[in-house]
Amino acid sequence: MTFSARSNQPISDMPQQVSNLIRYRIALVIYLACCWLGPSASVSGQIRFENYTERAGIDFVHTDGSSGKYYLVESMSAGVALLDYDIDGDLDIYFLNGAPIDSPNSNPATNALYRNDGGFRFTNVTKEAGVDNAGMSLGVATADFDNDGLPDIYVNNYAGNCFYRNNGDGTFDDIAKDTQTACSDLIGGGVCFLDIENDGDLDLYVANYIKFDLENHRPHIHKGLPAYPSPMSFQPEPDRLFRNVGDGTFEDWSNEAGVLNQAGRGMGVLAFDFDADGDQDIFVANDTQENHLLVNDGAGRFTEDGLFAGLAYDFRGKAQASMGVDIADFNGDGLQDLVVTSFLEEFTTIYQNQGAGVFEDATLRSGTGEATFPHVTWGLAALDADNDTIVDLVVGTGDLDDRRTSRGGASTATGFRVADVMLRGDGRGRFSDLKADWGEAARTLQSTRGLVAGDLDNDGRVDIVALGARGRPAVLRNTTANTNNWISLSLVGDSQRSAIGSRVTAVVGGKELTRIVLAGRSYQSCSSQKLCIGVGGESSPIDVAILWPDGSRSAHSIATNTQVVVLHPSLSPPQAGHFDSPDSDP
Amino acid sequence: MTEKPIRPVIEDDVMNTPSQPARPGESPSPLLRNLFILLGLVLVAVIGFAGAAGWLDDEADPPKNTVSAPDSFAQLETPEPSATTAALGPDDKLSDATDAVRIPPLSPIIPTDGLAMVEECKGVVEHLTTSLPSSVEAREVQARFEFEFGQVDEAEKIWKTILDEQPNFVFAMRGLGDVCTMKGRLEEAVRYFRRAVIFEPDNLSRQLTLGTAMLQAGKLAEAREVLQTVIEKSPRLSAAHTELGRVESQLQNTETAVEHFRTAIELDAEDSQAHLGLATALAKLGKRDEARTYQQRHIELRSEQRAELEEGRRTYDDAVAMGVDIANVYVNSARVYLAGGLTPAAELLLLRAARMSPGNIDCRQALSFLAGQKGQAYEAIRWMKEVAELAPAEFNYSEEVARLYLGIGQPDAAEKTLTDFVERNPDQPFALRSVANFFLEATNKPEKAIALAEQATAIDDSASGHAALAATYEKCGRIEDAAREMEKAAELAPENTVYKQTAALLRESIEASPEENPEEDSQDKAPE
C-alpha cells in the first residue's frame, strides 16, 4: 500500500480531496470483488457471530494498569474505534490500552492500531503509524477534523490526551499540545467530534470523569476485600469543549459554551440533533448521577436540559450509573431513540423519542430489562445484525469488580467475565434476548468495555469489536446466513468532509430506515462513519435521501449489495435521481 | 396532633400476621423488637410495675426478683459486671462441657476485618443450624447469611428447600424474590413477592415492595392495582402515591400521574422523587413553567440527598459497616436460640452484637429484657438507657427506663429521665401528656403536670388535645378549667357526644358545688 506525501496545500484544496476520493473508490472496487467471499453460514435465519480474534491476527491484550490499589480509574478501562485510516476502503481497528497510573512502566503497553489487510486479517501497525500512546487511555473518537480527507484520532486519557493527525502516509502526529487540547490534568471519559456552529469545522467535545489524584485516593474495602471505591467518593469534573478555529488550531470554548457549569462524571458521549432544530446537541452519559443533555442554540452555546428532555433519569426516577450510549430508530417511527447502558440492577434503558426533543423511558415496553438487569453494561451498538431492516442491539457486559465471586453475597448471574447480550429487535420497539443462541459470540467470556460495530470484511454484514478489560478483545465476525440484501454508504461532505451529523434515510418497501453519521458513541468508543443498512429481501435499487449537516439535501438510488461513496451535492453535479456506486467516478 | 407522613420501610417492618412463622431473616430487627417488647410487657406485668397502675404507686416497692436499689445514681452508671457480661471476656471459662457445646463459636477478640467477621459469623450460623436442626427459622438465618455474605445460589437453594417443606413460610418467599430480582428474573420475583403478600395482606410495606417489583417487571396494570390497594389502606403513604404516579406515567395516564405526584408532595414536601415525577409529567402536558418550579425544587432536594450520599461514600468504613451487618445476623440468631431454649447462646450473641454495633437497638433492648428476667435491674436499666440514648426522640424507650427506675424505687431518677426527654423533645404532645400523667400519678406534682399538659395542647390544638388537658385539670381539681377545655373539645368535634356530655357533667358539677374547695372537689372525682 502506498501513500502520497502529505499535501501542504490548504485543506480546502479540492484537487487533493478528489484525489483521495479516487483512491478511495478504487480501493472500494477492489474490495467489492471480495464482498461475497465471507465465511459460510452456520444456521440459516439465525443471527450468528463467531469469534475471529485469533484468526484475524489480533493479538492485542488490554491492561488497565492494575496496581492492586484499586484506583477507580482502572475499572473504567477503555474504548475502541473503527476507522479507515489508510483510505483503502476497509475498516481498521484502534484499541485503547491502559497503564499503571502510580508508577513508571518500563515495559508499557500501548494503544494499538490494526490495519485491515482484507479477508478478515489484520496487521499490527501501531509503531509505524506512531499511535503507540502508552498512557492510561480511556476514550476515543475519529473524524477528519482538518478536512483533508483523512480520519484523525483523538484519545481521551488519564492526564494528558493525544490528538493524532493523520499524515496520509500511514503515520500520525500527536498535535494535542500544539492545539492545546491535551487536558493534561484531567481524567477523561468519552469524546466526540461535532460541528457546534455549523461552520464546517469539526469541534471536539471531551468528557471528563472525576476529580482525582493519587493523593486523594483512599483504599476501599468492601465486605472484607479490596474494592473500587464508588464514583460518588469523588467530585465530578466538568467536560471540555474545544472549538475548531478552522486553521488547524482549537480554542477552549468550554466556558462560552456553558459546559463548565455542568459537572458530571462523564462516560459515553454522543452528539445528535436531539431537538430537531438543525444543530448538534450533546448527550453525556454520567456515572452515578443524572445524564446531561446539552442543547445547542445553534451558535455553540449550550443549556443543560436533560430532565425536561426525559433523559436525565430512568423511569424509576433513578440516576443510573450510565456508561455507554447509542441511537437508532427502534420502533420504526422515523425518530432516533436513545439507548443507555448502566450498572448492576439497573436497566439498559431505552429512551423513546417522542419528537420535539422529548424522550420517554420505554424500557418496560422494550423487553430489554431482564437480559441486562443483572449485569454491568458498557459498550453497545444498535445494528441490523441480520439485515432484515430491523435494528437489533448488542450490549457489552462485565462486572468491574474482579473479586465479586470471592466477595460474600455474590450472584452467579453475572461476573467479571461474561458473555455479551444480543437483543433481537422486532421493529416496534421490543427486543428479545437471544441468550446463548447467537453463535460463538455467546460463549465468548470477557469483561467488555468499549464496543463498536462495523463491516470489517465488506460483506454487507456488520461485525462487532469488543474491547475486553484485562484481556483479549473479541473480534466477532457476523456469519449470519440469509438472503437479505444491504447497501453501504460512506459520505463525503463539502466543508466538513466527515459529514458528521448527516441523516441518511433509505426507503425500503415504504419503510424509512434512518441512520446518523456519528463520531463518538457507545462506551467511550467510535464506530465507523460508514453506514450499513440492511434492506431485507429488497433487491431493486434503494432510494436514499440525505440531509447534510449544512442543511443541503440530496437523493440517490443505490443498488443493493453495493458499497458507495456519496458526495455532497456541491462536490458532484446535481442530478435528479443521481446515485453513486463504486463503478461511477466522482 | 400532626400526623407525620409515613415513609415506607422497604426492608422489613412489623410482621402483622400472627399465623406466620417468626422472622429471623435478613432484617428481622423490628420483629425481634416486637417480640422483645411483648416479652418485656409480660415481664413488666409479672413484676407489677407496669402500666398506669404502676404510676399510681407513690413509692413502688422494689420487685422481689430484682436486686437491691443502688445507693446512688452513680452506682447505676457503673454496674457490677454481670455473669453475662463476663461470659464475653477473653478469660471466660465455660461452666461445663454442655455449655461449651451450646455456645456458638465466637473468637475471644472481636475480628476487625470483614473477612474474619464473615468467617466467624459463618461458624455461628452453622452452630445455630446444627444446634436446632429442625428449626426452619435457623435455616432462614442461614439463607439470609448466604444471601448477604456467602453464596446467593446457596441462599436460593435453602429458601427453596424451606418452601418445599413449609409452603407458607413467607420469609423464604421474600428471600427468593430478592434472589430473583438480583439475578434479573424479574417476573419470577414478582411471583414470590405476590405469594408473600397473600400471607401478609395487611403489611403495606410488603405490598409496596410488590408494587415496585411489578413496575420493574413491566406488569403495570397489576402494579397499579396493588398500589391502589396500598393507598386505600393508607392514604397518607406518600411513597405509594409517588410509585403509583410512576406507574400511571408508564401507562400514559399523565393526568392521573400528576394527581398522585401532587398528593405525594402534599404528604411529604421533601419527596424529591415526587417532585421529579411531577415536573416530568407536567412537562409532558406542556405545562413547562409549572414544571420548572418542581424541577428546581427537585434539584435542591436531590443535591441535599446526594451530598449526604457522597459524604457517606467518602467516609465509608468497611469494618464498621460489616460490624453492623453481622450484628444483625447475631441478633437474628439470638432470637432463634432463645426460641429454642438456648438462652446462654442467645445472650452471648446479643452481647457480641452490642459490641460490634454500637447503634444496634434490638440487641440492647433484648439484653435489657434478659437482665430484667434474671433480676439484674441495674443492668436492665443500663441497656435500656443505651437504647434511649440511641433513639433520643423515641419516648417509649425513655418511658421504659423510667418504669424500670420506679421498679427499683427510684422515682427521682425516673422523673429526671422523663423531664430530660420532654426538654429535649418539647414538640411531642403524646410524650408531654404521658409525663404529665407521671407527675400526677407517680410523684404527685400537679403543677408540673398541668404545665406539661398545657404545653401539649398548645402544640396539638385538636379536640382530643383539649379533652386530654381537661382530664388533667380535672384530676388536679381545676374543674372550671376542665369544663372550659372539654367545651372546646366538644366545639372542635361536635360529632363527639362524649365530649359534649362530659363538658355538661363538669358544668353540672361546678353548679352543684360552687362553694367547694377545688382541691377537695378533686378528691371525689374519678379520672376520666
Side-chain angles (χ1 to χ4, degrees), chain A residues 223-224 290 316 360 409 412, chain B residues 148 150 153 216 284 306 318:
Chain A
K223 292 191 176 177
E290 67 278 4
R316 300 173 295 178
E360 184 178 72
T412 52
Chain B
E148 297 287 346
D153 292 354
Q216 287 192 160
K284 201 170 169 185
R306 189 197 291 169
D318 192 56

Side-chain angles (χ1 to χ4, degrees), chain A residues 218 220-225 230 232-236 263 265 288-290 305 307-308 310 313 315-319 345 347 354 358 360-365 369-371 373-374 405-413, chain B residues 113-115 118 146-153 181-188 215-218 220 246 249-250 252 273 276 279-280 283-284 288 291-292 295 298-299 302 306 309-310 313-318 322:
Chain A
R218 183 169 164 269
H220 179 65
I221 306 288
H222 183 50
K223 292 191 176 177
L225 292 171
S230 164
M232 298 183 83
S233 307
F234 304 91
Q235 289 299 312
R265 301 179 182 93
T288 64
Q289 73 177 83
E290 67 278 4
D305 204 21
L307 195 149
F308 267 20
Y313 303 100
F315 70 90
R316 300 173 295 178
K318 184 175 166 58
E345 298 186 31
F347 294 99
Q354 308 289 300
V358 176
E360 184 178 72
D361 187 335
T363 308
L364 295 179
R365 301 194 291 277
E370 294 212 344
F373 196 75
T405 49
S406 316
R407 207 182 305 279
S411 161
T412 52
Chain B
D113 79 271
L115 281 185
V118 169
E146 291 290 349
F147 183 76
E148 297 287 346
F149 307 107
Q151 297 298 315
V152 171
D153 292 354
T181 302
M182 186 186 208
K183 292 188 170 185
R185 287 152 33 199
L186 302 178
E187 293 199 11
E188 196 178 344
L215 171 60
Q216 287 192 160
L220 300 176
R246 287 193 191 111
S249 291
Q250 285 290 313
Q252 308 300 322
Q273 289 293 303
L276 170 63
T280 308
K284 201 170 169 185
R288 292 181 76 89
R292 289 271 178 215
Q295 178 199 25
H298 160 74
I299 290 169
R302 189 101 179 188
R306 189 197 291 169
L309 209 57
E310 289 176 349
R313 293 287 185 184
R314 275 192 287 273
T315 56
Y316 176 81
D317 185 318
D318 192 56
M322 289 290 285

Side-chain angles (χ1 to χ4, degrees), chain B residues 391 393-400 418 421-422 428 430-431 434-435:
Chain B
E394 291 286 333
F395 177 66
N396 53 341
Y397 297 139
S398 291
E399 188 180 32
E400 185 60 26
L418 294 173
F421 181 87
V422 291
Q428 292 192 18
F430 175 78
S434 296
V435 180

Side-chain angles (χ1 to χ4, degrees), chain B residues 437-472:
Chain B
N437 277 342
F438 168 83
F439 280 123
L440 275 179
E441 297 166 355
T443 59
N444 196 23
K445 294 178 179 172
E447 299 80 10
K448 286 188 174 179
I450 286 172
L452 289 171
E454 286 175 344
Q455 190 181 335
T457 308
I459 301 166
D460 174 22
D461 186 28
S462 66
S464 61
H466 286 282
L469 178 57
T472 306

Side-chain angles (χ1 to χ4, degrees), chain A residues 191-234:
Chain A
V191 54
C192 68
F193 286 99
L194 73 162
D195 185 356
I196 58 171
E197 71 281 64
N198 259 335
D199 64 352
D201 297 319
L202 280 179
D203 311 294
L204 187 58
Y205 188 86
V206 181
N208 292 308
Y209 190 50
I210 52 171
K211 293 181 189 296
F212 173 85
D213 56 45
L214 294 174
E215 282 67 42
N216 73 10
H217 171 72
R218 183 169 164 269
H220 179 65
I221 306 288
H222 183 50
K223 292 191 176 177
L225 292 171
Y228 292 109
S230 164
M232 298 183 83
S233 307
F234 304 91

Side-chain angles (χ1 to χ4, degrees), chain A residues 36 79 102 108 189 270 372 405 432 473 478 494 574:
Chain A
W36 299 106
D102 63 351
L270 187 147
T372 59
T405 49
S432 53
N478 190 338
D494 178 9

